[in-house]
Amino acid sequence: MKHDRLAYVLGAILILFGLLTGAVAFTMVRSHTYNPVVGIVNYFVPSPESVFGKERIFVLLMGLDYDYNNLDEPTSKDSRTDKIEVYAVDFPSKVVKSIAVPRDMDAIVNGQEDKINDAYHYGGPKNTDAVVGGFLGMPKIDTGGYFDRYLTFRINTTKDLINAIGGVDVPVTETLNYDDTWGHLHIHFTPGLTHMDGDKAVSYMRFRHDACSDPCRIKRQQAVERITMEKLKSDKFNDLTHIAQLIDVLHRDVDTNLTSDEMKSVAWAFRDMNLADVHQTQVPYLTDKELSCCGDVLVADQTGMAKIVADFVGPYVAATPPPSADAIAAVKPSELRVDVRNGSGVPGLGAKLAAVLRKDGYVINSVGNADNFDYDTTQIRATAKTPLAGERVRNDIHLAQATVTPLPDPASAATAVASGKTATALADVTVVVGRDYLNVPAETEAPK
């Protein structure tokens, strides 16, 4: 019997697109053409509409489970899918929608009732396409299947990808404790913003021993997907070292029938995608029941699923564009109280950032240490009291990749920031300084 099979992958084609965007940039650096007359680099990437011959594609993502053999080596022999997620990628609107399908969902597999994750075991991607597409009630495409392309993520995809980008900062909302020595699984987390390397992120996403089991695990997976995508979009990773590491993950851990030209086209088209245009959901369920073949299964809410699928295949509209530079500039620093917490591990970096903000006219409420010193990326927590306050602070500290998280009110800010109990309820904005602030050029730290 396999032990607590994991969605070992981030389970988002978005992550792959971020990966591939780096691959495109890397390829262009190596294979550009130079025009000596005009003195510029010329390149051309065709639109995805022209490459695929349609304005939207449906993609099936499968993450394989694994077990340990008698030599204590991980193996995916006779694999099932721990992760099943389907994507609609709309090219004109740049909107991406996904539906996660819990692995224990009751479905018809090869003519009999079974867990839906068994479809891969009996016929790989082609059979999974037929079973998952039929289960969701999706319309068939011109090839006779339900999905235009597939992605199969092998065992170490998540771990390798997150390690390649230097880890992620994840807001843990509850205490998670679970140990499985045979399955090499040891999960121990407490509430708070937590820096995770690949192994820690994998264990966090494996946990399902709470009230709603696999559906709650899917929510944790999707949260990490978005955090990782935000980090992949950061300019910090547009250098050849990180791009080479990401391409290595792609070649080593991912199997797909997307061609090289298709991947480049989609990646280039979505390179500036607004994360507000990423919509994630999962199949709802009503109850569970026992099957003689495979134990406890989830029974889908057919009405709820039909509504989700109708939205999935229906017309798409892009999200409201980000706020304008003028709107952000209209926010007055003198009206904002700011707490600064040093989470970088570099002595004095918090005080240095506070001094910059003070010179720009901000009221510095307090300066101290964060709950830990493992923050790679600066975090900004802003209350709803002053709209766009977090964006204004991010602009003034010259960190475009800093994450801005809105909070409902000052009291919430005091409990939700990484510094926890040391924050003051009077702050409009709390900045947790990460190591990325070391890269801010000196001339931008204290504008005249």
Side-chain angles (χ1 to χ4, degrees):
M1 177 179 180
K2 297 190 175 183
H3 296 271
D4 193 2
R5 301 183 184 95
L6 157 72
Y8 279 98
V9 300
L10 289 178
I13 196 171
L14 306 175
I15 300 303
L16 184 65
F17 286 168
L19 228 171
L20 294 173
T21 301
V24 171
F26 184 71
T27 301
M28 289 178 177
V29 168
R30 298 188 62 182
S31 62
H32 64 266
T33 59
Y34 182 76
N35 187 324
V37 176
V38 296
I40 61 173
V41 174
N42 296 310
Y43 55 80
F44 173 72
V45 178
S47 70
E49 290 94 330
S50 65
V51 172
F52 289 94
K54 57 177 65 178
E55 293 187 339
R56 183 186 302 174
I57 60 171
F58 296 100
V59 181
L60 170 66
L61 186 144
M62 299 158 286
L64 302 184
D65 66 8
Y66 76 99
D67 201 354
Y68 290 91
N69 60 23
N70 56 4
L71 298 177
D72 201 32
E73 299 167 332
T75 174
S76 284
K77 183 180 179 181
D78 301 323
S79 286
R80 293 171 174 80
T81 44
D82 251 359
K83 179 77 169 181
I84 303 171
E85 198 156 9
V86 300
Y87 295 84
V89 185
D90 192 73
F91 304 135
S93 67
K94 300 295 190 292
V95 170
V96 178
K97 294 185 179 181
S98 74
I99 304 174
V101 182
R103 68 178 193 177
D104 293 336
M105 197 62 73
D106 183 29
I108 301 301
V109 180
N110 291 24
Q112 64 183 18
E113 209 173 2
D114 199 343
K115 288 185 177 182
I116 199 166
N117 72 338
D118 226 11
Y120 189 93
H121 174 74
Y122 288 113
K126 185 175 181 180
N127 194 49
T128 306
D129 179 304
V131 171
V132 173
F135 167 79
L136 292 172
M138 289 183 57
K140 288 190 174 182
I141 59 175
D142 48 13
T143 61
Y146 295 94
F147 301 97
D148 296 279
R149 298 293 184 269
Y150 71 82
L151 292 156
T152 302
F153 285 6
R154 303 187 184 98
I155 291 173
N156 292 321
T157 308
T158 298
K159 182 181 75 172
D160 292 345
L161 176 55
I162 290 179
N163 282 339
I165 65 173
V168 290
D169 296 322
V170 180
V172 180
T173 59
E174 59 185 312
T175 300
L176 307 179
N177 286 305
Y178 180 76
D179 289 285
D180 176 1
T181 302
W182 171 255
H184 297 242
L185 179 58
H186 301 282
I187 303 172
H188 301 287
F189 293 100
T190 56
L193 197 62
T194 305
H195 182 76
M196 300 182 186
D197 61 11
D199 285 319
K200 287 182 179 179
V202 164
S203 67
Y204 176 73
M205 292 193 293
R206 289 186 71 173
F207 187 84
R208 62 175 187 144
H209 298 275
D210 51 8
C212 68
S213 187
D214 204 43
C216 286
R217 182 172 65 166
I218 288 174
K219 291 179 181 179
R220 282 186 285 272
Q221 292 166 1
Q222 291 178 333
V224 175
E225 290 168 10
R226 296 187 73 89
I227 292 169
T228 305
M229 188 61 194
E230 288 174 356
K231 194 165 186 180
L232 279 167
K233 284 172 68 66
S234 164
D235 289 340
K236 183 179 178 182
F237 298 99
N238 289 341
D239 61 85
L240 293 183
T241 300
H242 283 100
I243 289 170
Q245 292 172 343
L246 293 173
I247 292 174
D248 183 55
V249 173
L250 173 64
H251 289 164
R252 184 174 66 248
D253 295 337
V254 180
D255 175 47
T256 180
N257 60 351
L258 283 159
T259 69
S260 177
D261 286 343
E262 290 170 348
M263 290 189 288
K264 290 177 183 179
S265 176
V266 174
W268 189 249
F270 281 74
R271 68 193 183 280
D272 296 319
M273 180 177 58
N274 184 357
L275 288 181
D277 288 322
V278 179
H279 307 278
Q280 296 172 298
T281 188
Q282 64 176 290
V283 174
Y285 70 99
L286 296 173
T287 186
D288 60 345
K289 67 178 184 180
E290 289 288 325
L291 294 182
S292 59
C293 67
C294 41
D296 190 62
V297 296
L298 300 176
V299 179
D301 174 356
Q302 294 294 333
T303 301
M305 182 169 67
K307 291 179 180 178
I308 289 173
V309 174
D311 177 70
F312 185 72
V313 300
Y316 288 8
V317 178
T320 303
S324 68
D326 289 342
I328 295 174
V331 178
K332 297 179 180 179
S334 60
E335 297 179 355
L336 299 179
R337 291 180 175 272
V338 182
D339 284 332
V340 178
R341 299 289 177 261
N342 188 357
S344 69
V346 179
L349 200 60
K352 186 177 181 181
L353 183 144
V356 170
L357 290 177
R358 190 177 287 111
K359 287 182 179 180
D360 281 345
Y362 291 88
V363 178
I364 302 302
N365 214 32
S366 65
V367 180
N369 288 329
D371 60 331
N372 65 72
F373 300 124
D374 291 330
Y375 291 94
D376 284 326
T377 304
T378 296
Q379 311 285 322
I380 300 172
R381 308 286 189 271
T383 70
K385 178 181 177 182
T386 305
L388 303 182
E391 287 78 3
R392 178 62 197 258
V393 170
R394 178 168 61 186
N395 282 3
D396 288 343
I397 63 176
H398 303 281
L399 281 178
Q401 72 269 21
T403 300
V404 176
T405 303
L407 295 169
D409 54 56
S412 296
T415 57
V417 295
S419 52
K421 298 177 181 179
T422 62
T424 171
L426 295 176
D428 301 297
V429 179
T430 299
V431 181
V432 182
V433 186
R435 283 182 282 272
D436 54 352
Y437 192 63
L438 286 168
N439 299 323
V440 175
E443 60 269 21
T444 67
E445 291 175 356
K448 296 180 180 179

